[in-house]
Amino acid sequence: MKKMLFLTGFCLLALWTFGQRQEDTLLKLLDNTVRERPHFTEIKELRLDSLKTALGASNAIEDKYLLYNTLFNEYKHYNLDSALLIAKKKNAIVGQLNNAQYQYESRMNIAEILGKMGMYRETFDVLGQIRKNDLDKNQKRYYFHLYHSIYSLLLQNALSQEEKEHYKKLLLCYKDSLLQVLDAQTLAYKLVMNGKLVESGKYPEALILMTQYYDEYKGRTGAEIGTIANGIADIYERKAIVDSQKKYLTIAARADLTNAVKSYIALRKLAVVLYNEGDMERAYTYIKCAMEDASFAKARFRMIEISEALPIIVASYDNKMKEEKDTLFKYLVLISVLSFILLVCIAFIYKQLKKISTAKQLIKKANEDLMVINAELTELNKKIVESDHVKEVYIGYVFNLCSSYINKLENYRLILNKKLKARQIDEALKITGGAGLVTNELKEFFQNFDAVFLNLYPNFIDEFNGLLKTEERIVPRADDILTPELRVYALTRLGISDSSKIADFLHYSPQTVYNYKLKIKNKLAISKDDFSRKVLRIGR
């Protein structure tokens, strides 16, 4: 049982929420339509201008009459003064046509507009000159419709209950008369039938009838959908179902405005409903729009209806605006105070940010200095590692070389000792007197140096040649591992930059070392400064 109650409540809430959203959407559409009124009026004026142009170009009286008739139908819900003028012009030429029904129709056109203007006596005078029995079926419909309309207006204006009852009876009589001459399938018949059912209090039957016709006309853009929606709204008004009344009044009002109908009921009624709900802004906008359109249409009766509600709505709207201005002033003061506090906070924050920015700059500079130091330390570490590696290799090489020279010296001593003991003085002098021994040892020394160096820096020759012009690159001879020039810069790569030390190491004169360096610098493909730096980076 609890679940059923919960589900029922949930469904009702969902339906109510959906209805509220649909209602808000319809009102927003109506708001847009109210703002776009000038556009719809412009379309209407273009259509009227087109008819007037056609009328001016027409010569046949029959054609003029039909064009006047179309113009009249366009004007009768748009501007009553113009509609009356057209009706009189139409009546002025009808005598040239041999058609009694046209004459009756033109007079009834005048009567219709007089009735809409609230000139009831003049309307009855015109209608009283028409013999009902001389009218054909179409004109009888029009004739009964005019009486129905005029008594409907009189019923709305009746002050005493006796007058209301009198006009209500007459109205019901003309409803019956209309139902007898109207086709049961037409919209006019359904509208009259709806009116009769409503007056009889048969609201469910009236609602079924009008809803069926609404579903049939829904989606069309003509004024008919507005008339049907207005009829449905009237039923809901009598049943006191405000939400549904408001929905259909909104639909009817949109239809009126989009079809440039200026004399209407729906928007005025909707304004009153919204006023009662507290939606003052919309109520004011709508009632103001209704008054402007009624004034434009010269619909005096509509203006009187609107003037009953307009002062109340305007006064309420003004009070609301005053309250909103007072509230706005309070908020303005509050915002000013808060703005001042905010400015103080911003100034404080700015001061703190400035301090932070200064600290960040100091930290950034310190970081940059630290990065430079780290880079220098990294480079130094690389050099140390490289130097350690070179030292390790060359220490081994030197020890091996020393051991080899000790062995050679020992062999040399033994050979000399042997020669001296054998009194082979000449042989001993021959061994010690030549330069071949030193030359051979020096050649072996260079070969060992080259081998050890290229073991440390296997790409030295290619990288060094990359610093020279293509045509000046050095290619060692088959029996040489390094050329003398390459050997000079090999020592430079090992960190020996002093020319005298290089000369001592290679058993060259300082001038020879200088000449080798000069020769290489003349072959460079890069600047001399870059060359010195890049030689030291070979093999990294």
Side-chain angles (χ1 to χ4, degrees), residues 98-116:
N98 188 21
N99 189 321
Q101 299 304 318
Y102 281 180
Q103 293 177 2
Y104 293 137
E105 183 183 54
S106 63
R107 292 177 193 171
M108 286 190 287
N109 287 161
I110 295 171
E112 180 178 5
I113 302 305
L114 291 173
K116 287 178 181 290

Side-chain angles (χ1 to χ4, degrees), residues 83-216:
L84 183 60
L85 179 64
I86 295 296
K88 288 179 177 179
K89 287 183 177 181
K90 181 180 172 184
N91 190 57
I93 65 167
V94 77
Q96 301 176 44
L97 298 170
N98 188 21
N99 189 321
Q101 299 304 318
Y102 281 180
Q103 293 177 2
Y104 293 137
E105 183 183 54
S106 63
R107 292 177 193 171
M108 286 190 287
N109 287 161
I110 295 171
E112 180 178 5
I113 302 305
L114 291 173
K116 287 178 181 290
M117 289 179 166
M119 301 169 71
Y120 306 129
R121 183 181 297 279
E122 291 81 351
T123 303
F124 283 122
D125 288 343
V126 173
L127 290 176
Q129 297 172 10
I130 299 172
R131 291 194 296 269
K132 179 180 66 175
N133 294 332
D134 292 343
L135 301 175
D136 61 20
K137 189 175 183 179
N138 287 332
Q139 301 305 340
K140 276 186 180 179
R141 292 171 188 161
Y142 191 22
Y143 179 81
F144 291 143
H145 166 73
L146 290 177
Y147 271 107
H148 179 272
S149 298
I150 202 73
Y151 284 125
S152 177
L153 293 171
L154 287 168
L155 176 61
Q156 291 178 48
N157 283 315
L159 299 175
S160 66
Q161 188 61 34
E162 184 180 351
E163 281 184 310
K164 288 181 180 179
E165 290 298 326
H166 173 67
Y167 291 131
K168 189 180 289 186
K169 288 178 182 178
L170 290 171
L171 196 59
L172 286 173
C173 288
Y174 279 103
K175 283 186 191 297
D176 291 334
S177 299
L178 277 169
L179 290 174
Q180 289 176 11
V181 295
L182 288 171
D183 185 348
Q185 302 304 317
T186 61
L187 175 61
Y189 182 90
K190 303 293 183 184
L191 291 172
V192 175
M193 178 57 73
N194 169 67
K196 187 172 182 180
L197 291 171
V198 168
E199 290 298 329
S200 303
K202 298 178 180 179
Y203 303 137
E205 293 91 330
L207 190 58
I208 291 169
L209 177 70
M210 294 305 287
T211 303
Q212 287 175 346
Y213 248 68
Y214 177 80
D215 291 338
E216 182 180 334

Side-chain angles (χ1 to χ4, degrees), residues 477 480 482-489 506 508 516:
R477 295 193 302 273
D480 287 337
L482 294 176
T483 63
E485 298 98 322
L486 290 174
R487 206 168 282 128
V488 169
Y489 282 100
L506 297 177
Y508 297 156
Y516 280 143

Side-chain angles (χ1 to χ4, degrees), residues 160-403:
S160 66
Q161 188 61 34
E162 184 180 351
E163 281 184 310
K164 288 181 180 179
E165 290 298 326
H166 173 67
Y167 291 131
K168 189 180 289 186
K169 288 178 182 178
L170 290 171
L171 196 59
L172 286 173
C173 288
Y174 279 103
K175 283 186 191 297
D176 291 334
S177 299
L178 277 169
L179 290 174
Q180 289 176 11
V181 295
L182 288 171
D183 185 348
Q185 302 304 317
T186 61
L187 175 61
Y189 182 90
K190 303 293 183 184
L191 291 172
V192 175
M193 178 57 73
N194 169 67
K196 187 172 182 180
L197 291 171
V198 168
E199 290 298 329
S200 303
K202 298 178 180 179
Y203 303 137
E205 293 91 330
L207 190 58
I208 291 169
L209 177 70
M210 294 305 287
T211 303
Q212 287 175 346
Y213 248 68
Y214 177 80
D215 291 338
E216 182 180 334
Y217 275 82
K218 189 166 59 176
R220 301 187 189 184
T221 58
E224 295 87 356
I225 190 69
T227 305
I228 298 168
N230 200 47
I232 297 173
D234 184 52
I235 297 169
Y236 282 119
E237 181 183 3
R238 291 172 184 262
K239 293 178 72 176
I241 304 175
V242 178
D243 287 343
S244 297
Q245 178 197 4
K246 187 163 61 172
K247 171 186 172 181
Y248 285 99
L249 283 175
T250 305
I251 294 168
R254 283 198 69 225
D256 290 337
L257 293 173
T258 52
N259 286 281
V261 173
K262 298 293 184 179
S263 175
Y264 47 70
I265 302 171
L267 193 63
R268 173 186 62 82
K269 284 189 172 182
L270 181 60
V272 174
V273 172
L274 292 171
Y275 166 77
N276 292 331
E277 290 184 345
D279 192 347
M280 297 299 174
E281 189 169 349
R282 275 200 176 104
Y284 174 77
T285 302
Y286 293 171
I287 200 75
K288 182 170 172 287
C289 173
M291 178 57 86
E292 288 172 358
D293 284 346
S295 177
F296 175 87
K298 302 298 188 292
R300 295 168 183 82
F301 179 68
R302 297 294 177 216
M303 291 170 68
I304 293 168
E305 288 179 329
I306 294 166
S307 64
E308 293 175 0
L310 184 61
I312 301 169
I313 294 174
V314 169
S316 299
Y317 180 76
D318 289 341
N319 288 334
K320 184 185 176 185
M321 289 298 100
K322 186 178 181 302
E323 289 174 4
E324 288 183 356
K325 282 181 182 178
D326 292 342
T327 305
L328 188 63
F329 178 75
K330 291 176 185 176
Y331 282 131
L332 188 61
V333 172
L334 179 61
I335 289 169
S336 299
V337 173
L338 292 174
S339 298
F340 176 74
I341 295 170
L342 182 62
L343 286 172
V344 172
C345 292
I346 289 171
F348 177 75
I349 291 167
Y350 176 75
K351 189 175 179 181
Q352 295 302 314
L353 287 175
K354 202 170 180 182
K355 290 181 180 178
I356 292 169
S357 178
T358 304
K360 281 183 177 179
Q361 291 296 327
L362 293 172
I363 293 168
K364 184 179 178 183
K365 189 176 183 306
N367 284 335
E368 288 173 353
D369 293 342
L370 188 60
M371 287 175 69
V372 171
I373 293 169
N374 284 336
E376 290 174 354
L377 286 173
T378 302
E379 186 67 23
L380 186 59
N381 284 334
K382 286 181 180 178
K383 288 180 180 179
I384 291 169
V385 170
E386 183 181 356
S387 177
D388 288 344
H389 181 58
V390 170
K391 285 177 182 178
E392 183 183 341
V393 172
Y394 273 98
I395 286 169
Y397 165 66
V398 169
F399 278 122
N400 288 333
L401 190 61
C402 289
S403 178

